[in-house]
Amino acid sequence: MECPVAPKLDFGGTTPYEDYVHASVLHSLQQQWSQDPREMSFLVITQIMELYFGLLCFEWRQAQRELRDDDLRAAVRTLKRSDLHLQALNAAWRPIARMTPTEFNSFRDALGEGSGFQSGRYREVEFLLGEKSRSMLVPHRAVPAQHDALEALLNEPSLYDDVLAALHRRGLPIPEDVLKRDVAEPYEPNADVERVWADIYREGNRDLLELGEALTDLAEEFARWRYDHLLATRRSMGSKVGTGGSAGVAWLEKRTRRSIFPELWTARSYV
Ligand code: HEM
């Protein structure tokens, strides 16, 4: 029988795969700070989560451009894709979510004051979701590129700001003070916006309903990331102080209670 054509084996220089993926660069980035073998899962999962934070920011900026072009269907498609990324990000908790305190202790000291709290990309994720905070720029002062990127994002509309502006352009009564709000401030829930979402859900305009549900999916998966992080922390270090200097679990509990796209949740009581 004739053999199927085999893949090409011979390349003059590096493989096109390497040129595209930069796999050797990626695999050179796992440098443990302790001798403990369990640190490797923690480090790789953290790096994977960082990549997902970056990917989410990329997708949401794309969705913002589509919303500004009033291409709602394209925006919803992008948001749904980003929801799949969020689901994959959340699944990444599994290998490290069940560390015992002894296991975590075996490499925790090596982390020094290092904490995910200092992740610039995670802060971009929060800013894009509307959780703005000028004080969160402070840890990045020494790295101008990261600081400037965050500061620029602080002063730009969030994904939700763009959603509300798009609803307004479609004739929905989003109040003027919401449209002209200071976008560098955290988004505050608004009763008129809540009514707009309640009407959308009641009247069932298909495109707007899909937008509302795509956003709710994101809010739900993001809440899940926060809650899974909280549980992993509770499980592996109890109520000890965090490496980043916070009260640890008590501080994370407060953060976990926050809700993204608030009116999309509260409007449901009136539908
Ligand atoms: C079981 C492992 C983990 C523990 C015990 C833990 C613990 C903590 C604690 C106590 C904080 C509060 C700040 C501080 O004092 O350090 C924090 C914040 C944070 N951690 Fe983790 N963490 C873990 C894994 C991860 C991983 C894998 C990531 C992925 C990048 C991550 C990302 C973050 C982020 C983004 C924050 C800031 C959250 C916010 O600002 O609301 N953590 N973590």
Side-chain angles (χ1 to χ4, degrees):
M1 212 165 64
E2 210 172 301
C3 203
V5 178
K8 184 175 169 180
L9 297 177
D10 199 10
F11 298 93
T14 63
T15 60
Y17 177 82
E18 172 62 25
D19 293 342
Y20 182 61
V21 179
H22 301 290
S24 57
V25 177
L26 277 176
H27 292 303
S28 72
L29 298 175
Q30 288 76 44
Q31 292 141 22
Q32 290 195 200
W33 279 7
S34 79
Q35 302 299 316
D36 193 274
R38 285 158 293 200
E39 188 195 340
M40 189 53 92
S41 320
F42 179 79
L43 174 56
V44 173
I45 300 298
T46 305
Q47 290 179 332
I48 288 169
M49 289 195 177
E50 263 299 319
L51 288 176
Y52 271 120
F53 296 157
L55 183 55
L56 289 170
C57 293
F58 176 87
E59 298 285 28
W60 293 339
R61 284 169 181 271
Q62 174 65 22
Q64 285 182 300
R65 281 190 290 273
E66 289 158 348
L67 287 164
R68 287 171 201 178
D69 288 345
D70 291 315
D71 190 347
L72 226 60
R73 292 208 172 146
V76 167
R77 194 143 174 78
T78 304
L79 294 176
K80 285 189 173 172
R81 189 169 60 234
S82 77
D83 177 57
L84 296 176
H85 301 326
L86 258 175
Q87 288 181 35
L89 164 66
N90 287 343
W93 277 117
R94 278 185 211 141
I96 56 167
R98 296 192 170 175
M99 271 188 295
T100 66
T102 315
E103 285 169 337
F104 188 40
N105 283 347
S106 60
F107 61 88
R108 189 177 189 228
D109 281 350
L111 305 177
E113 290 185 318
S115 166
F117 176 77
Q118 299 141 15
S119 163
R121 271 308 147 92
Y122 174 80
R123 216 49 74 192
E124 289 183 25
V125 164
E126 283 196 345
F127 283 9
L128 278 165
L129 292 175
E131 290 208 347
K132 301 288 187 75
S133 163
R134 188 167 292 280
S135 65
M136 292 300 187
L137 301 182
V138 179
H140 305 284
R141 270 184 310 203
V143 185
Q146 179 62 72
H147 183 274
D148 296 351
L150 260 182
E151 191 170 37
L153 204 55
L154 182 79
N155 293 305
E156 282 170 29
S158 70
L159 175 61
Y160 197 50
D161 290 319
D162 275 311
V163 166
L164 298 181
L167 294 182
H168 173 72
R169 287 193 299 278
R170 288 181 71 120
L172 294 164
I174 303 293
E176 199 66 12
D177 54 330
V178 172
L179 297 169
K180 298 218 165 111
R181 75 181 200 91
D182 177 358
V183 294
E185 291 298 318
Y187 181 81
E188 291 295 337
N190 178 283
D192 293 327
V193 173
E194 184 184 79
R195 260 190 293 281
V196 168
W197 283 119
D199 288 346
I200 289 172
Y201 274 81
R202 219 178 288 117
E203 285 155 21
N205 174 304
R206 199 171 141 239
D207 287 347
L208 299 182
L209 195 67
E210 274 219 51
L211 175 65
E213 286 299 275
L215 292 166
T216 311
D217 288 346
L218 294 184
E220 183 174 313
E221 289 302 330
F222 187 65
R224 196 159 282 137
W225 186 89
R226 280 183 157 159
Y227 195 62
D228 285 352
H229 179 238
L230 174 65
L231 288 182
T233 305
R234 207 181 263 153
R235 196 154 173 159
S236 60
M237 58 174 257
S239 60
K240 290 174 205 153
V241 170
T243 47
S246 80
V249 163
W251 187 80
L252 290 173
E253 273 168 349
K254 212 170 128 223
R255 309 276 298 164
T256 305
R257 278 198 291 274
R258 292 157 159 235
S259 148
I260 304 289
F261 315 145
E263 300 92 346
L264 270 161
W265 297 101
T266 56
R268 283 158 207 271
S269 314
Y270 308 101
V271 180

